[in-house]
Amino acid sequence: MKTKILCTAIFFILLSSLTFYSINQFDLQSEYLFYGSTFKNKSMTGFGYKIYCNEKLVILQENIPALNCNQGFFCSEDAEEIMNLVLKKVRNNQNPSISIQELDEKNIKCVY
């Protein structure tokens, strides 16, 4: 009988701590709202993107990342595609860097 009561108590303690942990994880992630927008470059040719966290600008990408061309994206769709990849990484707590391989997979290159 004592073993049954002890097991029941341990079960409820574990269940309540798991519930508390889950609620805290949800709250932690919900306090950060990441979103982005694309724009036409004024200082260079092409397009870029901006990423915001809770209305604060955190990434301003005027040129194609990872490439040594210092040029914007050829079209807004290319900029948006990479912006969405960066947003996905940020939301999953990953490094938001873009590699040359990721650009190649999306067929994004310096064209100017």
Side-chain angles (χ1 to χ4, degrees):
M1 183 71 165
K2 288 182 182 181
T3 306
K4 193 173 188 178
I5 293 172
L6 183 61
C7 287
T8 304
I10 290 172
F11 172 76
F12 281 112
I13 290 170
L14 289 174
L15 182 62
S16 62
S17 62
L18 180 61
T19 302
F20 178 76
Y21 175 77
S22 297
I23 289 171
N24 282 342
Q25 285 297 100
F26 177 76
D27 289 344
L28 183 65
Q29 290 185 357
S30 67
E31 69 183 74
Y32 297 108
L33 174 64
F34 290 98
Y35 61 95
S37 63
T38 61
F39 61 90
K40 177 123 176 77
N41 279 325
K42 294 178 183 174
S43 60
M44 63 178 72
T45 309
F47 293 82
Y49 61 85
K50 297 177 183 179
I51 294 183
Y52 299 87
C53 176
N54 296 341
E55 299 183 24
K56 180 180 179 185
L57 180 65
V58 292
I59 298 175
L60 172 62
Q61 190 67 50
E62 295 179 321
N63 57 351
I64 301 172
L67 299 180
N68 292 326
C69 63
N70 201 27
Q71 296 175 350
F73 292 90
F74 178 70
C75 61
S76 63
E77 291 80 12
D78 288 350
E80 185 173 6
E81 192 166 4
I82 297 302
M83 177 193 71
N84 288 331
L85 178 58
V86 171
L87 283 168
K88 180 180 175 185
K89 288 181 174 188
V90 168
R91 289 174 179 146
N92 291 321
N93 293 323
Q94 298 173 337
N95 183 336
S97 297
I98 298 296
S99 68
I100 293 173
Q101 179 182 352
E102 289 169 319
L103 293 173
D104 286 344
E105 289 171 1
K106 307 225 180 262
N107 200 28
I108 296 175
K109 300 176 179 22
C110 290
V111 292
Y112 298 107

